[in-house]
Amino acid sequence: MGQAAWKGFAQSLFDYKTAKFVVAKSKKVGLLYRLLQLTILLYLLIWVFLIKKSYQDIDTSLQSAVVTKVKGVAYTNTTMLGERLWDVADFVIPSQGENVFFVVTNLIVTPNQRQGICAEREGIPDGECSEDTDCSAGEPVVAGHGLKTGRCLRVGNSTQGTCEIFAWCPVETMSMPTDPLLKDAEGFTIFIKNFIRFPKFNFSKANVLETNNKDFLKTCHFSSKNLYCPIFRLGSIVRWAGADFQDIALKGGVIGIHIEWDCDLDKAASKCNPRYYFNRLDNKHTKSISSGYNFRFARYYRDPNGVEFRDLMKAYGIRFDVIVNGKAGKFSIIPTVINIGSGLALMGAGAFFCDLVLIYLIRKSEFYRDKKFEKVKGQEEETNVELEANEIEQERPEDEPPEGGQQGEHPQELVQNSRKHNSNCQELFEPARLRLPALPQKGHAAEFLLALSLPSAHTPPSRPGLQEKAILNVKQPQLLQTVRT
């Protein structure tokens, strides 16, 4: 049994499989196939080519440069600072005009700090003490303002105090105004100049209108109808980002200014326009003690005696991040061919799915499966079958005379006699033909011969040898076969 299995496996290695086309007259499967073809075609035309523009070569390696300028003035009058006029040099940090810049909207000022010895501020855990041993000399106060001197300073008869430190004294206060200091910052203007280049296509452009009018940028403001005047009002940017100016000016925040370039270089260069988006990058809804945006800086002075002192400022404000993205596309034959090939492959997948439905899922799947898959033997094997049939004729008993001649005739002569008397086949099979309702169509020869082989009361004794040879000589040479249900 094992040798026969291995022999069959070895012989199957030399089998060749070729496609056989069967035209199935099934309206359901045919309708399904056409719907799949239509769906794939619409997907290619609408989504792949019209919307995604997959026929283009894409360049996403955008090269960009950003220059910013802030203009405006503000006036304040406070008990700590007195009357003061704020201009660009006071509230814009840094002053170089980069793609990230900060506008001060609120301040906590600790003036006239000098290096010396003073008490650490209350509320700092590492700076609290009850005796001198709690303040190790020379150690810095964690999250504090200076170095411990080794003394614990207590007020009156209190048992708790704070460590004495060497620092800039007096230390920073914790007070914070309830209103933003620079309320007028809402009317400041921001000029954002952006240069871009797509190196693959050697295409360059800027977001500023090319004009010889020197007064253009002094009078224009950005709008949806004036994209090439990138001068924005600060309050408008905050509002477009979905934030409230009074809230963000009090504690600070981060706003993103997005400039997007989506250029179709198959069209004119004037069609490549920038698009602006604004959003708040820090999460204003998060309940955190460190919400907002702030940092510290100082301004240093010297008194007439040459002693250095400073004004410490804790600045709250709005940080703007200018983020530039973009891509450019231009027609190329390579992506076009690749996407067309992918569409044709999808067509083949649709045909494969319909084949599965036809031969496995519908009610007459077994009938279609038998028509689709067929084993065909070679010509030499058919000749061997004929020789075996002739040998069987020779081994018949003598009382059964072979067809087409006398006893003792050679099998080859029997074959020749059968070919000479082909005209007698019609008379031989006439009763069987009358018994059938109609001559079968092309491709149903096997069913027709099966009907002929059945005995009938109206059929005279026939010559079985001639019938067997007629069956063996029936062939199906056609490749395309139509199946009707």
Side-chain angles (χ1 to χ4, degrees):
M1 184 67 180
Q3 293 181 354
W6 280 107
K7 182 179 179 181
F9 173 74
Q11 291 178 351
S12 66
L13 294 177
F14 300 97
D15 292 344
Y16 172 71
K17 296 181 180 180
T18 184
K20 178 181 179 181
F21 296 93
V22 178
V23 179
K25 298 296 184 178
S26 175
K27 294 182 179 179
K28 294 181 179 179
V29 179
L31 179 61
L32 175 63
Y33 182 54
R34 298 307 176 193
L35 288 176
L36 287 175
Q37 284 184 322
L38 181 61
T39 303
I40 295 171
L41 184 61
L42 292 176
Y43 163 77
L44 287 174
L45 294 178
I46 298 177
W47 177 255
V48 175
F49 288 109
L50 293 181
I51 298 178
K52 303 300 291 184
K53 297 181 180 179
S54 298
Y55 58 87
Q56 291 183 335
D57 188 13
I58 304 299
D59 184 9
T60 57
S61 57
L62 176 68
Q63 298 174 352
S64 173
V66 176
V67 178
T68 59
K69 292 182 181 180
V70 181
K71 290 187 177 182
V73 292
Y75 171 80
T76 60
N77 187 4
T78 62
T79 56
M80 185 173 294
L81 298 176
E83 290 185 331
R84 184 166 182 174
L85 184 69
W86 301 76
D87 60 7
V88 177
D90 296 320
F91 56 73
V92 176
I93 303 172
S95 58
Q96 289 86 357
E98 301 176 356
N99 61 334
V100 177
F101 59 96
F102 178 82
V103 177
V104 178
T105 57
N106 204 0
L107 280 176
I108 297 179
V109 181
T110 307
N112 298 322
Q113 283 188 327
R114 299 173 185 264
Q115 291 189 9
I117 295 175
C118 56
E120 179 61 275
R121 191 184 66 196
E122 295 181 357
I124 298 177
D126 191 49
E128 297 177 350
C129 62
S130 58
E131 55 186 15
D132 292 345
T133 56
D134 295 333
C135 303
S136 300
E139 289 185 359
V141 179
V142 178
H145 299 87
L147 298 175
K148 299 176 183 178
T149 62
R151 295 179 59 190
C152 180
L153 303 179
R154 294 179 293 273
V155 179
N157 296 326
S158 175
T159 58
Q160 294 291 329
T162 58
C163 293
E164 184 184 64
I165 60 173
F166 176 75
W168 286 93
C169 300
V171 295
E172 182 184 31
T173 62
M174 287 293 293
S175 62
M176 182 175 177
T178 57
D179 294 325
L181 180 64
L182 301 181
K183 298 180 180 180
D184 297 337
E186 188 174 5
F188 294 171
T189 58
I190 303 174
F191 173 59
I192 303 174
K193 185 164 53 174
N194 180 216
F195 302 93
I196 58 104
R197 180 176 179 269
F198 293 101
K200 181 181 289 187
F201 305 119
N202 195 24
F203 176 81
S204 302
K205 199 169 184 181
N207 67 335
V208 181
L209 182 66
E210 297 180 1
T211 178
N212 295 324
N213 186 4
K214 296 181 179 180
D215 296 330
F216 173 72
L217 293 177
K218 297 179 181 179
T219 57
C220 70
H221 286 85
F222 174 82
S223 66
S224 58
K225 297 181 180 179
N226 196 3
L227 298 176
Y228 288 91
C229 177
I231 297 179
F232 303 87
R233 187 172 173 269
L234 192 147
S236 299
I237 293 179
V238 173
R239 185 176 67 256
W240 292 334
D244 179 70
F245 178 80
Q246 296 299 321
D247 177 60
I248 198 173
L250 182 63
K251 295 184 178 182
V254 183
I255 289 181
I257 302 174
H258 303 267
I259 306 176
E260 183 175 344
W261 297 84
D262 189 1
C263 300
D264 185 357
L265 300 185
D266 292 327
K267 301 178 181 178
S270 60
K271 300 296 182 180
C272 177
N273 299 319
R275 289 187 295 177
Y276 296 87
Y277 303 93
F278 308 90
N279 68 319
R280 185 167 179 176
L281 299 180
D282 62 317
N283 192 352
K284 64 178 181 180
H285 301 292
T286 301
K287 295 181 179 180
S288 174
I289 59 175
S290 62
S291 60
Y293 185 84
N294 63 78
F295 65 94
R296 293 172 176 85
F297 67 96
R299 291 178 177 173
Y300 296 86
Y301 313 93
R302 288 187 181 274
D303 61 13
N305 298 324
V307 179
E308 186 181 40
F309 67 98
R310 72 178 187 180
D311 292 339
L312 178 65
M313 300 182 183
K314 183 178 181 181
Y316 294 82
I318 307 172
R319 194 185 84 175
F320 294 92
D321 292 5
V322 183
I323 305 169
V324 183
N325 294 306
K327 65 178 181 178
K330 194 172 185 179
F331 174 79
S332 177
I333 190 63
I334 295 177
T336 303
V337 172
I338 291 175
N339 283 282
I340 292 176
S342 301
L344 295 178
L346 288 176
M347 291 288 186
F352 175 75
F353 177 75
C354 291
D355 282 347
L356 294 180
V357 173
L358 183 68
I359 63 179
Y360 291 110
L361 301 180
I362 64 174
R363 184 167 54 88
K364 296 183 180 180
S365 60
E366 185 176 355
F367 170 74
Y368 288 112
R369 189 162 56 249
D370 293 339
K371 294 299 181 181
K372 181 172 178 61
F373 301 106
E374 179 182 359
K375 291 184 179 180
V376 180
K377 296 182 178 180
Q379 184 176 3
E380 295 180 357
E381 296 182 1
E382 291 183 356
T383 304
N384 294 334
V385 173
E386 291 184 1
L387 293 177
E388 291 177 1
N390 293 336
E391 291 177 359
I392 293 174
E393 289 296 330
Q394 290 180 355
E395 293 175 359
R396 288 180 179 274
E398 295 181 355
D399 57 349
E400 294 183 5
E403 68 283 0
Q406 302 294 330
Q407 294 183 2
E409 288 184 349
H410 197 272
Q412 295 180 356
E413 296 176 358
L414 295 176
V415 175
Q416 294 175 358
N417 292 334
S418 64
R419 293 175 178 174
K420 292 179 181 180
H421 297 286
N422 283 337
S423 60
N424 295 331
C425 291
Q426 182 176 3
E427 298 176 1
L428 179 63
F429 295 114
E430 183 67 23
R433 186 182 66 81
L434 296 175
R435 211 167 21 142
L436 297 175
L439 186 63
Q441 297 180 0
K442 186 176 180 181
H444 290 200
E447 300 176 3
F448 175 65
L449 294 177
L450 179 62
L452 292 178
S453 62
L454 297 176
S456 175
H458 301 285
T459 305
S462 60
R463 294 179 290 180
L466 185 58
Q467 291 183 4
E468 292 176 1
K469 294 178 181 178
I471 294 173
L472 291 174
N473 289 330
V474 172
K475 299 180 181 179
Q476 298 180 0
Q478 68 278 10
L479 182 63
L480 180 63
Q481 183 176 357
T482 301
V483 179
R484 297 180 181 274
T485 58

